[in-house]
Amino acid sequence: MQIGANSLLQEMQTLTGEIKPNGITPNITQQVANTSGSDFGSLLSQAVGSVNELQSASSSLQTRLDMGDTRVTLSDTVIAREKASVAFEATIQVRNKLVEAYKEIMSMPV
């Protein structure tokens, strides 16, 4: 059996169309910009902004589901809520590591 590149690409695009919800989720995929020359503060700010967008999208889906919007499914809402939760937990872990590193640096003798 031979699978051509065009048929594989076409099947992937078809599957992508089946996976995406019916236009109810805004573009929440964020890419961290090129890190060369970027300062840590701007990268951290961008990451926190991305988490905020995920939480806003999740909250919006929850509200629409509660209001009876038929275009919003329970599974889409739960998935969005879990994405926001995972992103928030990761942010908390980064914060904890930063605080730990700060305390360690401050306790070093000068």
Side-chain angles (χ1 to χ4, degrees):
M1 182 172 149
Q2 182 116 10
I3 299 176
N6 288 335
S7 63
L8 183 60
L9 177 62
Q10 184 179 17
E11 185 172 341
M12 288 172 59
Q13 288 172 341
T14 303
L15 290 175
T16 302
E18 291 175 7
I19 293 171
K20 288 183 184 175
N22 299 327
I24 58 174
T25 306
N27 184 9
I28 56 176
T29 304
Q30 294 290 322
Q31 297 290 330
V32 176
N34 185 3
T35 58
S36 61
S38 298
D39 62 346
F40 181 74
S42 66
L43 291 175
L44 188 61
S45 176
Q46 183 181 1
V48 169
S50 176
V51 171
N52 186 38
E53 288 178 19
L54 284 170
Q55 288 178 333
S56 295
S58 171
S59 178
S60 173
L61 284 175
Q62 177 67 42
T63 302
R64 289 173 59 190
L65 182 68
D66 290 343
M67 299 288 270
D69 189 348
T70 58
R71 293 177 291 161
V72 178
T73 63
L74 179 61
S75 60
D76 291 335
T77 305
V78 170
I79 290 170
R81 179 65 66 185
E82 287 301 313
K83 283 182 183 180
S85 176
V86 168
F88 183 72
E89 288 297 322
T91 303
I92 295 296
Q93 291 300 320
V94 169
R95 183 210 55 174
N96 291 344
K97 289 293 183 182
L98 286 172
V99 169
E100 185 179 310
Y102 176 77
K103 286 180 181 179
E104 188 175 324
I105 288 172
M106 294 310 285
S107 67
M108 288 182 179
V110 199

